[in-house]
Amino acid sequence: MQVAIEQSWKKILNEEFEKEYFHKIVTFLKSEKEAGKVIYPPGRQIFSAFEYTPIDRVKVVVIGQDPYHNPGQAHGLSFSVPDGFPAPPSLVNIFKEIQSDLEINLSGKSNLQKWAEQGVLMLNASLTVEANKPMSHSQVGWHLFTDEVIRKISIHKDHVVFLLWGKFAQNKEALIDRNKHNILKAAHPSPLSAYNGFFGCKHFSKTNQWLQEKGQTAIDWQL
């Protein structure tokens, strides 16, 4: 099956595209669109996280659940929205923690492409969603694909920082070799849970400290 995904990822994930579950995902998405349903993000942006962050550049992995389900917000990067859109509540709290942790002022820009281009893989567990229906594609098979992405990173890379925010993301810990990688866990940045351990986690400074200790360039979190 031909999948429009960045070449380094295509090479390492090629077997996944031939598996039955992936064929079922493609068939499902085609049938939903033929039925007139609106799917986010647009087709050309489903694999944007991989386009901006080839596997050889991956330094940090941020795991979200599924894309934003409101018009125009989803563009293939977890927690991020395109230029011109205000930051959703969880992203607002991420920015608050960055400002507190690193003592910097952010510009208000909510497009996280700059992070992705530096090696932060902004990965949602489900890569698509039906408009106005959160988690609507959580059972169509995407988790099989994105779990394999996490496994491949763990196997093929060294010294990656995995930011696992909330129980959903923390359930992915079993896929990661903690002898090679740094796993940082905290509450989800959602307004419902951010005060239960996300605020004050200092994951952004801890990430940069780890990367620098391993001889890598720190992430510029300034936007």
Side-chain angles (χ1 to χ4, degrees), residues 45-193:
Q45 295 180 335
I46 290 173
F47 295 105
S48 285
F50 303 91
E51 293 295 326
Y52 290 125
T53 317
I55 190 165
D56 63 311
R57 296 186 196 169
V58 174
K59 299 178 181 178
V60 182
V61 179
V62 177
I63 299 173
Q65 285 189 261
D66 69 338
Y68 295 120
H69 58 273
N70 294 323
Q73 287 186 314
H75 68 137
L77 304 179
S78 63
F79 294 102
S80 178
V81 291
D83 293 330
F85 284 82
S90 291
L91 186 55
V92 168
N93 287 338
I94 290 171
F95 289 162
K96 286 180 180 178
E97 177 59 23
I98 290 175
Q99 291 179 158
S100 171
D101 183 13
L102 302 178
E103 298 182 350
I104 59 176
N105 291 317
L106 299 177
S107 66
K109 186 180 178 75
S110 301
N111 185 337
L112 306 183
Q113 181 179 332
K114 178 183 173 182
W115 296 357
E117 291 172 343
Q118 294 179 75
V120 183
L121 183 67
M122 313 295 298
L123 181 68
N124 278 316
S126 296
L127 298 187
T128 57
V129 69
E130 184 180 344
N132 304 313
K133 293 185 178 180
M135 302 299 292
S136 51
H137 291 183
S138 62
Q139 303 299 318
V140 304
W142 276 125
H143 66 286
L144 298 171
F145 177 73
T146 53
D147 280 1
E148 189 60 29
V149 170
I150 295 168
R151 285 193 197 95
K152 295 291 190 188
I153 294 169
S154 180
I155 292 167
H156 293 281
K157 297 286 294 183
D158 292 317
H159 311 314
V160 172
V161 181
F162 289 84
L163 301 181
L164 306 185
W165 298 331
K167 291 181 179 178
F168 178 88
Q170 288 163 18
N171 287 336
K172 307 297 183 181
E173 184 176 2
L175 305 171
I176 304 162
D177 182 352
R178 60 167 47 255
N179 293 316
K180 295 170 60 180
H181 306 292
N182 191 10
I183 299 172
L184 298 178
K185 296 186 286 186
H188 194 277
S190 162
L192 299 175
S193 56

